[in-house]
Amino acid sequence: MSAESLHLQYSMDIPMLLQNLLQGAARHHRQSGVVSVIDGVTYRHSYADCELRARKVAQVLGELGVKAGDRVATLAWNDHRHFELYFGVSGMGAICHTINPRLFVEQILHIVNDAQDRVIFFSPDFLQLVTQIASNCPSVVRWIMLGEPDPTLRVGGSKPLSYEALLARHDGDYAWPALDERSAAFLCYTSGTTGNPKGAVYSHRATVLHAYACALPDSHNVSAREVVMPAVPMFHANAWEAPFSATLTGARLVLPGPKLDGESLYRLIEAEGVTFAIGVPTVWFSLLRHMQERGLRFSTLRRVLLGGSATPNSMIEGYAELDVELYQGWGMTETAALTTCAQPLKSHAAMSPAERRQAIFSSAGRIVPGADMRIVDDNGEPLPWDGSTGHLQVRAPWVISHYYKASESALHDGWLPTGDLAEISSDGFMRLADRSKDLIKSGGEWISSVEIENIVAGLPGVQAAACIAAAHPKWGERPLLVIEPALGSKLVEEDILRHFEGRIATWSRPDAVLFVESIPLTATGKLFKLKLRELYGNYLMNRS
Amino acid sequence: MSAESLHLQYSMDIPMLLQNLLQGAARHHRQSGVVSVIDGVTYRHSYADCELRARKVAQVLGELGVKAGDRVATLAWNDHRHFELYFGVSGMGAICHTINPRLFVEQILHIVNDAQDRVIFFSPDFLQLVTQIASNCPSVVRWIMLGEPDPTLRVGGSKPLSYEALLARHDGDYAWPALDERSAAFLCYTSGTTGNPKGAVYSHRATVLHAYACALPDSHNVSAREVVMPAVPMFHANAWEAPFSATLTGARLVLPGPKLDGESLYRLIEAEGVTFAIGVPTVWFSLLRHMQERGLRFSTLRRVLLGGSATPNSMIEGYAELDVELYQGWGMTETAALTTCAQPLKSHAAMSPAERRQAIFSSAGRIVPGADMRIVDDNGEPLPWDGSTGHLQVRAPWVISHYYKASESALHDGWLPTGDLAEISSDGFMRLADRSKDLIKSGGEWISSVEIENIVAGLPGVQAAACIAAAHPKWGERPLLVIEPALGSKLVEEDILRHFEGRIATWSRPDAVLFVESIPLTATGKLFKLKLRELYGNYLMNRS
């Protein structure tokens, strides 16, 4: 053996595979597992139960002729069956395609046909959806219902199979194959706010490494003592890695199903002793209101990781009064979610708690260990971390280099452009200025729509606010603020405009305020600005 | 492109290399870095400084003709230069061989020649050692002193080079090479208690993955807010990964140099605000005594990870009174140190703090995420986790599969035998029974030497205790307890033997107690039982 070949062979050759995570939890965390709520029924499975059922999923897929590299899709909520499918599908070498059921039907059809899904597992809640699309999905050979289908039921002309009946036919006597750790494990499409959804693929290696990075103290901070509840969907960038950071560390995982209203969440958190949760601000806002109205407190919940949109200060302080620390993370489908996370540094210790919360919440946080980020100017030249604003780019072993089936790279110069404008402070905190395409260019000056939205986000009477670029005869574009008022709100345009006084330069204040019944959201709950521009982009032209 | 090749190429192809860790800290943790004490002088370097100096190390090695795969050795304490060498040597593709200076001279000669080291960096403290061995180390082309060598000095007939002078000749304009992540990064020899030391090699991939596993909440628990001090040598299994878990997360790293006496450590901990430290119990015992005698308290220190030998209960409670949590880890040179770590589960929450400490300290802990362990019987069959005792075996991507230059595998059936006997509880806590070879076989029954040592470990007047198998005319072997009394102790054999009453079955108590001036220790500070058996193995034969 040559010296070169020798010096590569001294460490155990163990690939980073998702089945190894689940097997580890099954062997070493027997007291822990997955709690799942489906139609009001609570299911409890140890990690060993989950691993056995995941092996049965692999057997079912083998029986159906699914091969390594095939796409197997899910239309499912956060529950134990979705969790088993994550591991069963990817562990046998197929690619688990988590479909976002909130996409438009045409988009879902597009992605099923783009992915060429062979099998689709669906929750009974999506029966209407699948009957609607089935005849236009020629690649799909089997529809499998996560429940007991009525015998008379037909999907695309044939009977859907019953998930539990299929599993019951197998014994779990199955050995996980020794896959290449760079094999694709998951396929997750972007929400397509700017065109057709594009597929982001996560390999086993990417997912396992990201699980380590997410479990770290400055990210999810998960030990075997935690009870973790992702209230962000498992079809949305794998619920920001929570199922994997929990499995890796042996934390208990609580999967709440579709019911994310305040009362349901509060009951579940208390019943299961949830200590750490993840989700978008709207969910946690409803829960806070539910608790404040009833004077409730949490027995165990201590931390909530938020992402996706701005968090009103009143909500941060409301949770602080309940001894719950909210903190922000940032990521995209293309980065397998969590890329930055806003935890304090030693230097924040001298601040008062409220000051510290404000300082931390003004940023999207610091880089998750193992990832990297930078800001560049319009020519792609790196900018200093001194308050300069530039195009945000990221790198990590869990970030995509190509979209699904794309032959050209998604990268520029080895980095993934995020489409966001941001600044980075000298101590590594990243602050998002705006999506590049959401900036408003007024007479040669850039105005941040996010900055305007943040100013009114905490205002009583405002349910939601979106600022868009509206065409203007003199300035090219000017900010238009679209407001969805809270129930019973008596706010008028004057009140809103007055609120900007002293908070932002005169020239960058909105020209007008438009009240609408409801602001359209994208499938992932973000402000659907493309739609708003279609609807109201000429509002100022007509007015002036 | 075929479907197979396509589905391996969607994630960014970023290898796990140590230079990436250091570059990450340099870019994202500018407020943090390495504090180092050499000869009473405190040096402060940011991670960016360290990365620059590591690049200069790589330039120096290139200038000296060192190639990828060459071995470059260190004889050094825990300081910033050793830290730079870790990254500079491995980052340029060479293998950083950390020599344990506490080995016997013959052993050091053996390993330098076995490793065929090309360059040796040495601290001035080891000048006598290197002048003693230099002429018998033909592979070594350069001796480089980590300090300013006297111009008249000769090592092996030639002038040693000055580290700082060499670094000053370079500008750091060096790009880290894109290494294979499976390349060897470190070479660390075992202490050779049972024969010649054997080389354990850690790859870049192994070390980076282990850094993630060690930084997790149930292991080192390191965030960017921590100040980490490894008081375990960097030549001993890379100081149990502390330099890497700190670099990965941006924690500040405090390297204390050789002075580990109570007063020096206390001053350093207070001056630098150390929050988390690592070391062997003897070091922390001296520090506790120093503090108790002076009524001192810690301002910032909260956690200490111990390993290597048993911890007396009085010490655990002594630190608890100082609001410092001690906890145990276990590992070996072959496992790149930390493999299990004793942190509580949710189920321990109901216990009183003292009960919990006792429960946790009776075990070596649970598996570090990503590793695996099992116990097997004499035929290699896995045993249940129900109180059965068996041979402990481990697996992990950071565990060796072969010793350095060995052609045969070190594994049995894919697992590394540890030479330890252990039991594992149903909730995953591993308790070491004994080293297989240290068990005492008395008339067909096995007696644990560790169990006997633990019983007297906390006894006032006992400085150190070692139990060995002594030949016995009737029983084959019987336990002999060797005691090193504390200064001024008036303990006699009777007192010691009486202490076993009610604590252990009559037949498994020691037959005799032998008082010696000092118990010999191995180079890594463990009880040198092989030596004790040579000296006292016939003690009971002569006596009976």
Side-chain angles (χ1 to χ4, degrees):
Chain A
M1 220 180 284
S2 74
E4 276 82 329
S5 66
L6 248 180
H7 92 267
L8 296 177
Q9 295 184 23
Y10 289 114
S11 299
M12 277 192 178
D13 189 17
I14 300 177
M16 286 186 274
L17 298 175
L18 288 165
Q19 50 267 48
N20 296 352
L21 288 199
L22 187 55
Q23 281 187 312
R27 284 175 61 75
H28 295 281
H29 298 284
R30 300 182 187 179
Q31 80 295 343
S32 189
V34 177
V35 178
S36 171
V37 181
I38 302 176
D39 290 335
V41 178
T42 303
Y43 295 80
R44 293 175 193 285
H45 291 87
S46 69
Y47 280 117
D49 296 336
C50 295
E51 205 254 339
L52 175 64
R53 287 172 59 90
R55 276 186 269 126
K56 291 183 182 182
V57 168
Q59 288 179 310
V60 167
L61 294 174
E63 188 187 23
L64 295 175
V66 171
K67 300 270 180 296
D70 283 353
R71 276 71 59 211
V72 172
T74 60
L75 272 164
W77 302 116
N78 289 16
D79 61 35
H80 67 282
R81 292 177 181 135
H82 208 173
F83 181 81
E84 296 151 16
L85 287 166
Y86 266 26
F87 289 93
V89 173
S90 65
M92 66 91 67
I95 304 175
C96 183
H97 171 202
T98 53
I99 301 174
N100 181 346
R102 294 183 190 143
L103 292 172
F104 302 110
V105 171
E106 310 81 63
Q107 290 180 312
I108 293 177
L109 264 177
H110 168 78
I111 67 173
V112 169
N113 286 304
D114 188 64
Q116 290 283 293
D117 294 322
R118 300 249 308 151
V119 176
I120 294 185
F121 292 86
F122 66 95
S123 155
D125 291 358
F126 304 119
L127 186 59
Q128 201 196 336
L129 174 64
V130 301
T131 47
Q132 202 177 347
I133 62 172
S135 54
N136 292 315
C137 300
S139 66
V140 180
V141 295
R142 290 290 176 200
W143 298 86
I144 300 175
M145 193 160 106
L146 300 167
E148 197 50 60
D150 188 296
T152 63
L153 195 67
R154 292 291 177 279
V155 170
S158 65
K159 276 190 189 178
L161 303 175
S162 155
Y163 179 73
E164 290 296 341
L166 285 172
L167 254 59
R169 283 166 50 183
H170 291 277
D171 58 3
D173 185 8
Y174 174 88
W176 296 111
L179 305 173
D180 184 318
E181 69 185 26
R182 292 172 197 268
S183 307
F186 291 95
L187 173 58
C188 186
Y189 281 76
T190 61
S191 57
T193 38
T194 56
N196 258 332
K198 285 182 284 187
V201 176
Y202 314 140
S203 69
H204 281 265
R205 174 186 167 95
T207 311
V208 171
L209 261 175
H210 200 205
Y212 275 105
C214 285
L216 291 174
D218 273 339
S219 311
H220 294 171
N221 191 16
V222 184
S223 75
R225 290 173 299 287
E226 298 280 334
V227 181
V228 178
M229 183 180 74
V232 61
M234 290 172 70
F235 53 75
H236 188 188
N238 291 353
W240 306 359
E241 202 73 10
F244 303 116
S245 67
T247 304
L248 176 73
T249 58
R252 187 174 298 276
L253 188 63
V254 176
L255 298 174
K259 286 201 163 178
L260 302 182
D261 61 288
E263 187 177 349
S264 302
L265 276 188
Y266 179 72
R267 280 196 189 166
L268 187 59
I269 289 167
E270 289 298 304
E272 301 303 332
V274 170
T275 58
F276 169 59
I278 294 183
V280 292
T282 43
V283 165
W284 299 97
F285 189 71
S286 311
L287 175 58
L288 179 65
R289 203 155 43 184
H290 174 81
M291 297 189 61
Q292 286 174 335
E293 283 166 8
R294 288 159 188 78
L296 300 170
R297 294 194 72 82
F298 293 111
S299 313
T300 55
L301 187 72
R302 289 299 166 258
R303 295 179 298 118
V304 177
L305 173 61
L306 300 174
S309 56
T311 307
N313 198 50
S314 58
M315 179 169 150
I316 301 166
E317 295 305 319
Y319 274 100
E321 280 166 27
L322 296 172
D323 294 325
V324 173
E325 175 208 351
L326 301 188
Y327 64 114
Q328 290 195 114
W330 172 84
M332 314 162 67
T333 304
E334 289 87 339
T335 67
L338 205 66
T339 308
T340 62
C341 205
Q343 288 281 25
L345 289 175
K346 234 182 165 45
S347 50
H348 293 98
M351 296 179 176
S352 76
E355 277 174 341
R356 185 161 56 241
R357 284 191 290 273
Q358 280 231 318
I360 299 299
F361 256 93
S362 69
S363 108
R366 290 177 290 115
I367 201 79
V368 164
D372 199 355
M373 63 180 167
R374 66 176 191 178
I375 45 175
V376 298
D377 65 17
D378 290 341
N379 301 317
E381 287 302 312
L383 290 168
W385 297 5
D386 62 356
S388 305
T389 297
H391 303 280
L392 181 68
Q393 301 185 330
V394 297
R395 268 170 64 82
W398 51 82
V399 167
I400 65 157
S401 61
H402 295 72
Y403 285 99
Y404 185 57
K405 297 205 288 191
S407 52
E408 72 282 13
S409 169
L411 310 182
H412 289 186
D413 192 22
W415 294 77
L416 182 82
T418 65
D420 282 307
L421 289 170
E423 58 181 273
I424 307 176
S425 69
S426 62
D427 53 1
F429 282 86
M430 186 268 284
R431 207 167 72 85
L432 288 168
D434 213 337
R435 299 287 300 169
S436 312
K437 64 182 186 310
D438 293 338
L439 276 181
I440 297 141
K441 191 153 195 181
S442 168
E445 293 291 338
W446 291 105
I447 297 172
S448 162
S449 64
V450 168
E451 196 175 0
I452 290 173
E453 289 156 11
N454 282 345
I455 287 171
V456 289
L459 203 61
V462 172
Q463 178 74 24
C467 179
I468 59 166
H472 191 280
K474 181 172 175 193
W475 301 106
E477 292 179 354
R478 286 294 300 160
L480 170 68
L481 183 56
V482 185
I483 296 274
E484 178 183 325
L487 210 67
S489 159
K490 296 197 169 52
L491 282 176
V492 294
E493 183 170 22
E494 271 292 280
D495 304 326
I496 304 278
L497 291 177
R498 201 177 314 117
H499 190 65
F500 284 90
E501 283 169 19
R503 289 190 161 86
I504 192 174
T506 318
W507 63 269
S508 60
R509 292 181 201 161
D511 269 28
V513 177
L514 179 63
F515 291 91
V516 299
E517 200 171 315
S518 85
I519 290 180
L521 300 177
T522 69
T524 52
K526 293 179 197 159
L527 300 170
F528 198 174
K529 293 200 180 175
L530 200 69
K531 190 83 194 165
L532 285 172
R533 281 211 215 173
E534 275 175 37
L535 293 171
Y536 310 119
N538 284 317
Y539 182 79
L540 298 179
M541 300 295 273
N542 305 339
R543 197 158 112 142
S544 58
Chain B
M1 218 180 286
S2 75
E4 275 84 329
S5 66
L6 247 180
H7 92 267
L8 296 178
Q9 295 184 25
Y10 289 115
S11 298
M12 278 193 178
D13 190 18
I14 300 177
M16 286 185 273
L17 298 174
L18 288 164
Q19 49 267 47
N20 295 353
L21 288 198
L22 188 55
Q23 280 187 312
R27 285 176 60 75
H28 295 281
H29 299 285
R30 299 181 188 178
Q31 80 296 344
S32 189
V34 177
V35 178
S36 172
V37 181
I38 302 175
D39 291 335
V41 179
T42 303
Y43 295 79
R44 293 174 195 286
H45 292 87
S46 69
Y47 280 116
D49 297 336
C50 295
E51 205 255 338
L52 175 63
R53 287 171 59 91
R55 277 186 269 128
K56 292 183 181 181
V57 168
Q59 289 179 309
V60 167
L61 293 174
E63 188 187 22
L64 295 175
V66 171
K67 299 271 180 295
D70 283 354
R71 275 72 59 209
V72 171
T74 60
L75 271 164
W77 301 117
N78 289 16
D79 61 34
H80 68 282
R81 291 176 182 135
H82 207 172
F83 181 81
E84 295 152 16
L85 286 167
Y86 265 28
F87 289 93
V89 173
S90 65
M92 66 91 66
I95 304 175
C96 182
H97 171 203
T98 53
I99 301 174
N100 180 347
R102 294 182 189 143
L103 292 172
F104 303 111
V105 172
E106 311 82 62
Q107 288 180 312
I108 293 177
L109 265 178
H110 167 78
I111 66 173
V112 169
N113 287 304
D114 188 62
Q116 290 282 293
D117 294 323
R118 300 250 307 153
V119 176
I120 295 186
F121 292 87
F122 66 95
S123 155
D125 291 358
F126 303 119
L127 186 58
Q128 201 196 337
L129 173 65
V130 301
T131 47
Q132 202 177 347
I133 62 172
S135 55
N136 292 314
C137 301
S139 65
V140 180
V141 296
R142 289 293 177 199
W143 298 86
I144 301 175
M145 194 159 107
L146 300 167
E148 197 50 59
D150 188 297
T152 64
L153 194 69
R154 292 292 177 277
V155 169
S158 65
K159 277 190 187 176
L161 302 175
S162 155
Y163 179 74
E164 290 296 341
L166 283 172
L167 254 58
R169 283 166 51 182
H170 291 277
D171 57 4
D173 185 8
Y174 174 88
W176 296 112
L179 304 173
D180 184 320
E181 68 184 27
R182 292 172 196 267
S183 306
F186 291 96
L187 173 59
C188 186
Y189 281 75
T190 61
S191 57
T193 39
T194 54
N196 259 332
K198 287 183 282 188
V201 176
Y202 314 140
S203 69
H204 281 265
R205 173 186 167 93
T207 311
V208 171
L209 261 176
H210 200 204
Y212 274 106
C214 285
L216 291 174
D218 273 339
S219 311
H220 294 171
N221 192 15
V222 184
S223 75
R225 289 172 299 287
E226 299 279 335
V227 181
V228 178
M229 183 181 73
V232 62
M234 289 171 69
F235 53 74
H236 188 186
N238 291 353
W240 306 359
E241 201 73 10
F244 304 117
S245 66
T247 304
L248 175 73
T249 58
R252 188 174 296 277
L253 188 63
V254 176
L255 298 173
K259 287 200 162 180
L260 302 183
D261 61 287
E263 188 178 347
S264 302
L265 276 188
Y266 179 71
R267 280 196 189 165
L268 186 59
I269 288 168
E270 289 298 304
E272 301 302 332
V274 171
T275 58
F276 169 59
I278 295 183
V280 292
T282 45
V283 165
W284 298 98
F285 189 72
S286 311
L287 175 57
L288 179 64
R289 203 155 45 184
H290 174 82
M291 297 189 61
Q292 286 174 335
E293 282 166 12
R294 287 159 189 78
L296 300 169
R297 295 195 70 83
F298 293 111
S299 312
T300 54
L301 187 71
R302 290 298 168 259
R303 296 180 297 118
V304 177
L305 173 61
L306 299 174
S309 55
T311 307
N313 197 50
S314 58
M315 180 168 149
I316 301 167
E317 294 305 319
Y319 274 101
E321 281 166 27
L322 295 173
D323 294 326
V324 173
E325 175 209 352
L326 301 188
Y327 65 112
Q328 291 194 113
W330 173 85
M332 316 161 66
T333 304
E334 288 88 339
T335 67
L338 205 66
T339 309
T340 62
C341 206
Q343 287 281 26
L345 289 174
K346 233 181 165 47
S347 50
H348 293 98
M351 297 178 174
S352 76
E355 278 175 339
R356 185 162 54 242
R357 286 191 289 273
Q358 280 230 320
I360 300 297
F361 256 93
S362 69
S363 108
R366 290 176 289 114
I367 200 80
V368 164
D372 199 356
M373 63 180 166
R374 66 176 191 176
I375 45 175
V376 298
D377 65 17
D378 291 341
N379 302 316
E381 287 301 313
L383 290 168
W385 296 6
D386 61 356
S388 306
T389 297
H391 303 280
L392 181 68
Q393 301 185 331
V394 296
R395 268 169 66 82
W398 50 83
V399 167
I400 66 156
S401 60
H402 296 71
Y403 285 99
Y404 185 57
K405 296 206 287 193
S407 52
E408 72 281 13
S409 168
L411 311 182
H412 289 185
D413 192 22
W415 294 77
L416 182 82
T418 64
D420 283 308
L421 289 171
E423 58 181 271
I424 306 176
S425 69
S426 63
D427 54 359
F429 282 87
M430 186 268 285
R431 208 168 71 85
L432 288 168
D434 213 338
R435 299 288 299 170
S436 312
K437 62 182 188 310
D438 293 338
L439 277 182
I440 297 143
K441 191 153 195 179
S442 167
E445 293 291 339
W446 291 105
I447 297 172
S448 161
S449 65
V450 168
E451 194 175 1
I452 289 173
E453 288 156 10
N454 282 345
I455 286 171
V456 290
L459 202 61
V462 172
Q463 179 73 24
C467 180
I468 59 165
H472 191 279
K474 181 172 174 193
W475 300 105
E477 292 179 356
R478 288 293 300 160
L480 169 69
L481 184 56
V482 185
I483 296 276
E484 178 183 326
L487 210 67
S489 159
K490 294 194 170 55
L491 281 176
V492 295
E493 184 171 22
E494 270 293 279
D495 303 326
I496 304 277
L497 291 177
R498 202 178 313 119
H499 190 64
F500 283 92
E501 284 169 19
R503 288 191 161 87
I504 193 173
T506 318
W507 64 269
S508 59
R509 293 182 200 161
D511 268 28
V513 177
L514 178 64
F515 290 91
V516 299
E517 200 172 313
S518 85
I519 289 180
L521 299 178
T522 69
T524 51
K526 293 180 197 160
L527 301 169
F528 198 174
K529 293 201 178 175
L530 200 69
K531 190 83 193 166
L532 284 172
R533 282 210 213 175
E534 273 174 40
L535 293 171
Y536 310 118
N538 284 316
Y539 182 80
L540 297 179
M541 299 296 272
N542 305 340
R543 194 158 113 146
S544 57

